[in-house]
Amino acid sequence: MTVRLLFRYGIVGLLGTALHFAALFVLVEAAKLHPVPASALGFVLVLLVSYALNRRWTFQASASGWKTLAKYTVVSVTGLLLNTGLMYLAVDRLHWHYAVGQCLVVVAVPLSNFLFNYYWTFREKRSGE
């Protein structure tokens, strides 16, 4: 694992965040969709784009296809659940300000997603395995 890999993963994450906000804005303001389904559609768009970028650019993995995409989706949804769980714990149980909870999320979720993607989603078989 290298700093370069973490840097690239972070760039893809920032791009994904920007794309999600842009898609949400366009779908709500221009297409007049309700924000909840608009956000869900944005999530799916970002999932596909970030999968492609992480597979090709970040991890430079040769593995592709539905199995790898399914693993990436599991990791992404797990990150979404972790996000929700941490915010619930911080805000509703610990009564912290939501911004503190979000800071916890910003550290924990990308790190856990990176580790799962590195060691599971895009893991290349090494000789002798």
Side-chain angles (χ1 to χ4, degrees), residues 20 23 27 33 36-46:
H20 197 169
L27 290 170
L33 284 179
V36 174
S39 182
L41 287 171
F43 179 85
V44 172
L45 174 65
V46 170

Side-chain angles (χ1 to χ4, degrees), residues 6-129:
L6 288 168
F7 177 76
R8 286 184 175 201
Y9 192 80
I11 294 295
V12 172
L14 289 173
L15 177 64
T17 300
L19 181 60
H20 197 169
F21 273 97
L24 176 64
F25 180 77
V26 168
L27 290 170
V28 169
E29 298 300 327
K32 303 298 182 201
L33 284 179
H34 187 274
V36 174
S39 182
L41 287 171
F43 179 85
V44 172
L45 174 65
V46 170
L47 177 89
L48 296 172
V49 170
S50 65
Y51 165 75
L53 288 172
N54 278 316
R55 184 173 67 84
R56 293 266 186 205
W57 186 59
T58 304
F59 296 103
Q60 299 176 351
S62 59
S64 63
W66 291 110
K67 184 177 179 181
T68 308
L69 178 58
K71 287 180 175 182
Y72 191 84
T73 302
V74 166
V75 171
S76 295
V77 170
T78 301
L80 179 61
L81 293 173
L82 180 59
N83 176 101
T84 305
L86 287 172
M87 285 299 286
Y88 172 77
L89 176 66
V91 174
D92 291 339
R93 292 295 180 194
L94 299 174
H95 306 289
W96 293 351
H97 190 273
Y98 70 87
V100 175
Q102 190 62 32
C103 287
L104 180 62
V105 165
V106 167
V107 172
V109 173
L111 180 60
S112 70
N113 281 7
F114 174 81
L115 292 172
F116 280 122
N117 282 319
Y118 181 79
Y119 287 110
W120 184 56
T121 306
F122 297 112
R123 184 169 183 247
E124 297 289 326
K125 292 210 184 252
R126 295 168 186 91
S127 59
E129 285 191 57

